[in-house]
């Protein structure tokens, strides 16, 4: 085994966007990591000086994968800034649409972005490899084809209310643009039922969603996976067994601190959206978990560091005061900067600034916090996994997939609660100035906008994405971001095909194409010119 | 069998996500039934790292045939013409694009960004983004006005933000099955079969447009009326097939009560999103629409409108899309 060979995976792919990953590898283990977002598009600069509602059109185009989530939080940023009234129906439609985007993303992400790595030839000697290839091989795998094609169904429901997916702008301050009729609702129910039956129950679970939702612990899940032939043969059980055999439960832990800003509102508690009233109105709760304790989420504790980002200076600002002043990366490198992502940090009371992991794992950890109100989600399963065996690539993947049944049930409930004879919109006063904060949980994590409106136009607009939370570079204290921490300690069996790095990157579902460069930890030489494994 | 390479520049992946909603054919059908060999796609590609770089270099060196080069996203020129705002596989993406386009048999620009710069090129265009062969309506773009791919075609523009999956899949099938010559392009190099019609063609609100009856509010207010008069709908001035080939097989923005924002046209986003222009019809003298349907002028439009209002029946003033 060679000691540290410089390695280069460029591009890595299937993480959406552009990300270079520089790794220091020593004795087949990653000993240091730098995530380098390699593209700048300048949306916050474009928004300055524009119509206050410009964010409803512009921010969904930040990410086509979670564009509906961008719309959702951009709308709430305006609702809070303009102090709107949001009718009950509008809250329900926004919830339905946001959840349908996530329901779409769950199978699409799993089959198209994550599972195809399980067919990697490195795993050819593992039990059930042939079955994994038969199901998960790109384009031709039986599970792949069904999962990817049927992933278009939940967003058909989005289109019924919003006209199209991706990139509608049908949520506006004061409600939604649509005025749905009876057939819109009944068709939505039928489409989702079809998706549940044909993919979620038949392919993924091998049982009813109600049976699955009885699971309360990580151990319950493993027992369920071996309970009968139907469940044993499901894509979920196969993924559990094969991932464990491949060691995906052993690495990719991450920083161990989590943030959820929460999403979906109980309509009666958020008819007049305010920043202060947000936490209590959430159905999927917000919160911070610092590895030992839970804390309530307060957006005023969010900061973004530009210490290692290609922006002017070494700033550490709350997003309302945030600046987006790009510099040439060639100059930035000379200042020790290495990424287009800023580094979001959270000032945890008593602990100072921490990097926090965002995403389904974070959401489900927060869902395990005691003290949920009647309208709020309480679910201990994933927190139990964290406490019993710690975070890993596998647990992160399972947290994502676990949400499918839960969100399906929520959408079914919300569709039933729509009152077609009541309003979907209340025209707001377009205030000349104000400050707003809107946030949601995109499929891949906490997504937030901060808007400052002055003289009837946007004075400042800052977006903090889940990708920034996860793949952001080191902060001013030289503390690595969550995904950098997840790479460190991970094994690389074959540097010519570092599939482990693919698993880690894709388990976060960061919206960047990940490009990996690995360097020898002892010599600093670039790994790609060597082949680990060919040496001693 | 046709080889396809799909890259993303200044992109949001929205066109890829839209593409994955396709049915008949689905993305998988393109591979299994229509013989499209996907060499690589940033979201869907199996290979990574050195394997991808080697494949890219084989194409640029002319050692490997590339039939269809699909590009999504803007070509980012900044800062200062260096392209360093968008690095890919260690080089500015723009350098890859130039070399790959020169080798491709056909080049397809997917979405507004690749066609004409789209949202990233909106003022002040902080990344110096441009489209493959246009910047807004100016012919030229990154590859130059005279660019032709190896099969003698200019860049095939499939705009929209995002473009509809059927617009993509049908054109890919046409190219892969040797029918590239049948793709008639308009003066913005869009396939006429999808872009000769207007977004308004097939809109369920057409009868209200005919009688000049306006929707007066969003939400429940969209149970009647046309969105052109108050909410800035660009359906009569925008070329697309959004109301002929429905979105996600279900609907369209205008059907669902959202005004068309003209996203298949080079000027999108219109009026540079200046204060007062979003979801609001721009008017002259408080009542005359600044933008009138293509091919008309203000005088004839107003004369027609006055007559139409006189002729408007009672039902056109009532809710029609009722519960």
């Amino acid at each position: 085994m060679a000691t540290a060979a410089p390695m280069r995976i460029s591009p890595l792919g299937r993480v959406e966007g552009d990300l270079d990953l520089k790794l220091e590898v020593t004795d087949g283990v990653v000993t240091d990591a730098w995530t380098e977002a390699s593209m700048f598009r300048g949306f916050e600069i474009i928004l300055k000086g524009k119509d206050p509602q410009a964010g409803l059109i512009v921010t969904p185009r930040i990410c086509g994968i979670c564009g509906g989530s961008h719309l959702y939080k951009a709308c709430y940023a305006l609702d809070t800034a303009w102090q709107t009234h949001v009718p009950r129906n509008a809250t329900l439609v926004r919830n339905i649409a946001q959840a349908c985007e996530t329901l779409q993303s769950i199978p699409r992400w799993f089959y198209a972005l994550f599972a195809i790595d399980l067919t990697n030839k490195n795993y050819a000697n593992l039990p059930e490899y042939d079955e994994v290839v038969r199901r998960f091989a790109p384009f031709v795998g039986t599970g792949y084809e069904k999962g990817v094609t049927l992933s278009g169904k939940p967003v058909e429901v989005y289109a019924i209310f919003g006209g199209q997916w991706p990139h509608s702008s049908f949520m506006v301050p004061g409600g939604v643009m649509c005025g749905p009729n009876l057939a819109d609702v009944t068709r939505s129910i039928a489409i989702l039922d079809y998706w549940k039956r044909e993919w979620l129950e038949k392919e993924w679970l091998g049982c009813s969603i109600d049976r699955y939702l009885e699971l309360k612990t990580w151990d319950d899940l493993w027992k369920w996976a071996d309970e009968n032939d139907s469940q044993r043969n499901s894509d979920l059980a196969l993924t559990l067994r094969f991932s464990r055999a491949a060691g995906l439960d052993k690495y990719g832990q991450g920083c161990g601190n989590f943030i959820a800003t929460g999403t979906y509102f109980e309509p009666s508690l958020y008819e007049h959206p305010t920043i202060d009233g947000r936490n209590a109105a959430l159905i999927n709760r917000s919160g911070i978990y610092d590895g030992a304790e839970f804390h309530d989420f307060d957006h005023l504790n969010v900061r973004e560091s530009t210490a290692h980002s290609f922006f002017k200076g070494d700033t550490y600002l709350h997003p309302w005061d945030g600046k987006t002043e790009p510099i040439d990366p060639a100059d930035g490198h000379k200042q020790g900067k290495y990424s287009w992502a800023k580094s979001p940090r959270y000032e945890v009371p008593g602990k100072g600034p921490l990097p926090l992991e965002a995403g389904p794992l974070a959401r489900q950890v927060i869902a395990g916090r005691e003290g949920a109100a009647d309208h709020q989600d309480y679910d201990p399963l994933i927190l139990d996994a964290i406490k019993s065996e710690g975070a890993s690539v596998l647990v992160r993947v399972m947290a994502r997939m676990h949400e499918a049944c839960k969100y399906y049930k929520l959408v079914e409930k919300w569709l039933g609660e729509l009152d077609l004879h009541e309003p979907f919109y209340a025209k707001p006063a377009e205030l000349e100035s104000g400050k707003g904060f809107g946030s949601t949980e995109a499929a891949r994590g906490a997504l937030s906008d901060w808007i400052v409106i002055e003289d009837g136009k946007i004075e400042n607009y800052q977006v903090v994405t889940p990708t920034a939370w996860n793949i952001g570079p080191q902060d001013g204290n030289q503390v690595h971001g969550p995904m950098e921490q997840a790479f460190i300690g991970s094994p690389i069996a074959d540097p010519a095909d570092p599939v482990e790095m693919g698993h880690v990157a894709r388990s976060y579902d960061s919206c960047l194409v990940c490009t990996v460069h690995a360097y020898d930890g002892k010599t600093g030489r670039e790994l790609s010119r060597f082949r680990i494994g060919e040496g001693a | 069998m046709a080889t396809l390479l799909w890259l993303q520049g200044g992109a949001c992946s929205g066109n890829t996500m839209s593409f994955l909603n396709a049915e008949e054919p689905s993305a998988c059908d393109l591979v299994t039934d229509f013989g499209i060999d996907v060499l690589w796609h940033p979201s869907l590609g199996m290979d990574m790292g050195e394997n991808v770089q080697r494949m890219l270099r084989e194409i640029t060196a002319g050692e490997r045939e590339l039939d269809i080069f699909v590009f999504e996203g803007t070509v980012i020129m900044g800062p200062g013409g260096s392209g360093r705002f968008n690095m890919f596989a260690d080089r500015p993406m723009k350098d890859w694009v130039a070399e790959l386009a020169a080798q491709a048999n056909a080049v397809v620009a997917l979405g507004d960004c690749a066609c004409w710069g789209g949202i990233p090129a909106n003022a002040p265009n902080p990344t110096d983004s441009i489209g493959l062969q246009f910047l807004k309506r100016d012919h030229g773009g990154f590859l130059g006005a005279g660019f032709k791919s190896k099969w003698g075609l200019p860049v095939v523009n499939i705009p929209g933000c995002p473009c509809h999956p059927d617009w993509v899949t049908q054109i890919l099938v046409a190219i892969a099955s040797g029918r590239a010559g049948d793709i008639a392009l308009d003066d913005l190099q869009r396939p006429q079969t999808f872009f000769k019609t207007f977004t308004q063609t097939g809109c369920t609100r057409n009868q209200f447009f005919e009688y000049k009856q306006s929707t007066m509010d969003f939400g429940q207010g969209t149970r009647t009326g046309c969105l052109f008069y108050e909410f800035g709908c660009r359906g009569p001035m925008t070329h697309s097939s959004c109301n002929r080939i429905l979105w996600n097989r279900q609907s369209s923005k205008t059907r669902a009560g959202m005004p068309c924002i003209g996203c298949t046209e080079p000027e999108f986003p219109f009026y540079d999103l200046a204060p007062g222009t979003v979801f609001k019809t721009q008017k002259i003298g408080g009542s005359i629409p600044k933008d009138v349907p293509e091919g008309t002028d203000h005088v004839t439009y107003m004369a027609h409108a006055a007559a139409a209002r006189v002729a408007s029946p009672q039902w056109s003033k009532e809710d029609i899309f009722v519960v």
Side-chain angles (χ1 to χ4, degrees), chain B residues 26-303:
Chain B
S26 68
C28 292
D29 292 340
L30 285 179
V31 174
T32 57
D33 299 344
F34 291 88
I36 291 183
D37 177 11
V38 181
L39 298 176
W40 197 68
H41 179 293
S43 303
L44 308 171
M46 189 61 189
D47 281 325
M48 53 189 184
E50 192 56 33
N51 291 335
V52 178
Q53 286 213 14
R54 189 180 311 118
M55 182 265 298
L56 295 174
R57 284 193 296 266
E58 284 171 6
I59 295 170
T60 57
E63 296 162 4
R64 186 165 185 158
E65 182 99 348
L66 174 59
D67 291 313
I68 308 171
F69 176 40
V70 174
F71 194 67
E72 175 180 1
T74 63
V75 181
I76 290 180
M77 304 300 288
S82 70
R84 282 195 291 265
F85 279 154
N86 179 22
M87 300 293 285
F88 175 74
D90 288 334
R91 301 170 71 198
M93 177 58 93
K94 71 178 178 66
D95 296 348
W96 285 112
V97 172
E99 293 179 15
L100 291 164
Q103 295 293 340
N105 290 327
V107 178
V108 177
L110 272 202
D112 281 10
C113 291
C115 291
W116 16 78
I119 294 251
N122 187 216
N125 193 355
T127 53
D128 290 336
S129 275
I130 59 177
L132 284 180
Q133 215 166 2
F134 285 85
L135 172 57
K136 300 291 181 183
R137 205 169 277 270
D138 296 337
H139 201 196
F142 177 65
L143 296 172
F147 173 84
K148 292 269 200 302
S149 65
K150 282 192 167 173
W151 280 344
L153 299 167
V155 172
V156 177
N157 283 332
I158 311 183
C161 191
C163 57
H164 190 293
D166 281 26
W167 307 343
V168 187
T169 57
Q170 305 305 339
I171 293 298
L172 291 182
V173 169
I175 295 174
S177 57
R179 303 190 75 88
D182 287 345
I183 304 173
L185 302 178
D186 67 13
D187 56 1
L188 291 168
Q189 296 170 203
R190 302 177 292 197
Q192 291 191 25
T193 186
F194 298 122
F195 297 96
K196 174 79 173 172
T197 55
F198 297 94
T199 303
Q200 193 178 23
T201 310
C203 179
T204 51
R205 298 176 188 280
N206 270 344
Q207 286 167 301
F208 297 99
F209 183 75
E210 184 181 355
Y211 290 118
K212 308 299 159 203
Q213 298 300 316
S214 179
T215 300
M216 296 310 289
D217 223 346
F218 286 134
Q220 61 285 356
T222 62
R223 295 193 192 283
T224 185
C226 174
L227 300 158
F228 172 78
Y229 308 99
E230 297 297 330
F231 299 102
C233 185
R234 302 197 63 84
M237 293 85 75
T238 301
H239 292 272
S240 85
S241 40
C242 291
N243 277 300
R244 290 195 295 137
I245 306 171
L246 295 183
W247 282 84
N248 311 88
R249 294 165 288 281
Q250 298 299 329
S251 193
S252 71
K253 291 202 287 288
T254 59
R255 290 181 181 209
M258 180 180 160
C260 167
I261 50 180
C263 77
T264 54
E265 298 294 335
E267 290 79 9
F268 173 77
F270 282 81
Y271 297 107
D272 278 344
L273 302 167
T277 64
V278 174
F279 305 137
K280 292 183 180 74
T281 302
Q282 303 302 295
K283 294 177 186 173
I284 303 163
S287 62
I288 305 170
K290 191 170 175 182
D291 297 302
V292 291
E294 186 172 308
T296 65
D297 58 60
H298 290 102
V299 174
T300 50
Y301 171 81
M302 291 308 287

Side-chain angles (χ1 to χ4, degrees), chain A residues 169-211:
Chain A
S169 298
F170 83 108
M171 300 178 197
V172 279
V176 290
M177 288 172 167
C178 61
N181 61 34
L182 179 61
D184 293 332
V185 175
T186 52
R187 198 183 307 132
S188 297
I189 292 169
I191 290 168
L192 284 169
D193 182 69
Y194 174 79
W195 177 81
K196 175 194 73 164
R197 194 175 61 242
E198 291 300 314
W199 178 70
L200 184 53
E201 293 189 336
K202 192 184 283 183
E203 303 292 318
W204 181 249
L205 295 175
C207 72
S208 72
I209 59 175
D210 291 321
R211 165 66 191 101

Side-chain angles (χ1 to χ4, degrees), chain A residues 8 10-12 14 16 38-40 50-51 61 64 108 113 156 164-165 177 179-180 328 420 424-425 517, chain B residues 12-13 21 42-43 45 49 53 84-85 87 90 122-123 127 161 217 219-220 223 248-249 253 272-273 276:
Chain A
R8 169 170 222 87
S10 171
L12 193 141
R14 268 181 292 130
E16 308 301 346
S38 58
M39 183 173 66
F40 173 68
K50 302 289 167 71
D51 186 285
R61 273 86 182 180
R108 190 171 291 187
L113 304 185
E156 290 185 5
Q164 69 178 65
W165 188 93
M177 288 172 167
D328 189 329
L420 299 174
F424 288 78
Y425 176 75
H517 316 255
Chain B
C12 72
S13 217
N21 294 333
S43 303
Q53 286 213 14
R84 282 195 291 265
F85 279 154
M87 300 293 285
D90 288 334
N122 187 216
T127 53
C161 191
D217 223 346
Q220 61 285 356
R223 295 193 192 283
N248 311 88
R249 294 165 288 281
K253 291 202 287 288
D272 278 344
L273 302 167

Side-chain angles (χ1 to χ4, degrees), chain A residues 234-353:
Chain A
S234 67
D235 283 0
L236 167 53
L238 177 66
T239 303
L240 278 170
R241 287 192 302 272
F242 195 77
S243 297
R244 183 167 273 186
L248 270 60
D249 55 340
K250 297 287 188 294
Y251 61 88
Q253 181 180 2
C255 64
N257 318 311
F258 300 96
I259 179 170
T261 56
T263 191
Y264 312 133
F265 293 102
E266 174 57 38
S268 58
L269 298 176
Y270 220 45
E271 289 195 37
H272 297 276
T274 62
I275 299 170
D276 290 343
R278 189 176 178 278
N279 283 347
L282 287 166
I283 294 171
N284 281 10
R285 290 175 289 164
S286 62
I288 309 294
Y289 182 65
D290 65 14
E293 286 182 288
F294 288 102
H295 306 268
D296 291 342
F297 169 71
D298 180 351
H299 84 93
L300 292 172
N301 291 337
V302 174
R303 302 284 182 278
E304 284 197 294
S305 164
T306 60
H308 293 279
S309 312
F310 297 132
F311 298 97
K312 265 187 201 162
D314 176 0
T315 61
Y316 185 69
L317 299 168
H318 182 270
W320 270 338
D321 306 315
K323 295 191 170 90
T324 303
E325 300 173 317
I327 61 173
D328 189 329
D331 298 329
H333 282 298
K334 293 173 195 158
Q335 303 166 36
K337 294 171 182 274
Y338 62 91
S339 180
W340 282 112
K342 296 176 185 171
S343 312
R345 292 292 182 266
Y346 190 90
E347 292 283 335
V348 177
K351 295 206 172 182

